Amino acid sequence: MLYNFAKFIFTILFYPMYRMKVTGKHHIPKEGPVIICTNHTSNLDPPVVGTTASRTVHFMAKEELFKGKFLGGLLRRVHAFPVKRGLADRNALRGGLKILEEGETLGLFPEGTRSKDGKPGKPLPGVGFFALRSQAEVIPCVIISEYKLFRRTKVIYGKPMDAESFRKNKASAKEMSEGIMEEIRNLYEIHKN
């Protein structure tokens, strides 16, 4: 309920403030497990994906944000869950896989941190782990924005990746992550201007 209310509020705010242009939403499957993989340049990226995606998106957020009772409770109510950064956090990995096993949508930022120059950076292996250990459709996404008032923000959802070929070829999590990031970079290069 809170998620839908927040989505409504962010839609009212973001579309005029950042002149949002969203393309490719039809690539997101209507049902079944989905991983939306997006570049990361700002703290506004999660609400932008949550607002523009056609499904409810569950995000990982750094554990520190959950320490305060109010903010931690709020984040959980909008389907975020904590992850310890810099470590292989087994609870976060299990939590993410459970979301996918239940046929839900997991939103991930393969770089694990914000890009300083706005360009898609180097991925961590975590996103590859989720893609390989689940049967989820992997949707690459790119956000192109400086998040300046009344400047265009573009959100582009790409076609589902052929993650199954990575699974069949027994790719490593690192290889899968690189493949996902390559799709994000391609979207960025096509739409950056």
Side-chain angles (χ1 to χ4, degrees):
M1 177 117 170
L2 182 61
Y3 184 97
N4 290 333
F5 177 71
K7 184 169 182 169
F8 173 73
I9 296 298
F10 280 123
T11 299
I12 290 170
L13 294 174
F14 282 175
Y15 275 81
M17 280 171 52
Y18 299 120
R19 297 180 56 225
M20 303 277 287
K21 182 181 179 190
V22 183
T23 55
K25 245 167 58 162
H26 63 281
H27 292 309
I28 303 171
K30 290 185 169 58
E31 54 188 41
V34 172
I35 304 171
I36 296 175
C37 301
T38 311
N39 64 318
H40 196 15
T41 62
S42 166
N43 287 329
L44 291 174
D45 294 336
V48 163
V49 173
T51 299
T52 60
S54 52
R55 295 177 58 169
T56 298
V57 184
H58 301 254
F59 286 101
M60 287 184 183
K62 60 184 179 183
E63 187 182 44
E64 296 82 9
L65 295 175
F66 292 82
K67 294 213 166 139
K69 276 190 177 180
F70 176 75
L71 183 57
L74 190 65
L75 287 169
R76 284 186 174 86
R77 290 182 66 198
V78 293
H79 306 297
F81 61 102
V83 61
K84 292 175 185 166
R85 296 198 301 172
L87 302 167
D89 184 343
R90 290 175 187 257
N91 286 335
L93 295 175
R94 277 194 292 266
L97 286 175
K98 186 171 187 291
I99 287 163
L100 296 171
E101 284 163 10
E102 291 170 354
E104 299 293 331
T105 303
L106 184 61
L108 296 173
F109 299 102
E111 299 142 293
T113 189
R114 294 186 302 278
S115 164
K116 290 181 173 64
D117 62 6
K119 296 176 183 173
K122 194 173 162 80
L124 298 173
V127 67
F129 168 85
F130 287 111
L132 293 172
R133 293 288 296 270
S134 70
Q135 293 303 308
E137 290 274 17
V138 178
I139 305 294
C141 173
V142 70
I143 301 170
I144 300 172
S145 181
E146 295 175 2
Y147 291 111
K148 291 185 177 170
L149 281 180
F150 311 118
R151 293 266 184 95
R152 172 74 70 200
T153 289
K154 295 193 259 185
V155 183
I156 300 100
Y157 292 96
K159 293 178 182 176
M161 276 187 66
D162 181 15
E164 195 53 41
S165 65
F166 283 86
R167 294 176 190 128
K168 282 182 182 169
N169 292 326
K170 301 193 184 321
S172 68
K174 183 180 178 187
E175 290 168 333
M176 183 80 228
S177 294
E178 286 290 354
I180 292 168
M181 207 66 214
E182 190 59 33
E183 294 287 330
I184 294 170
R185 286 189 198 105
N186 290 342
L187 286 174
Y188 177 82
E189 289 301 321
I190 292 166
H191 297 278
K192 66 182 178 181
N193 296 322

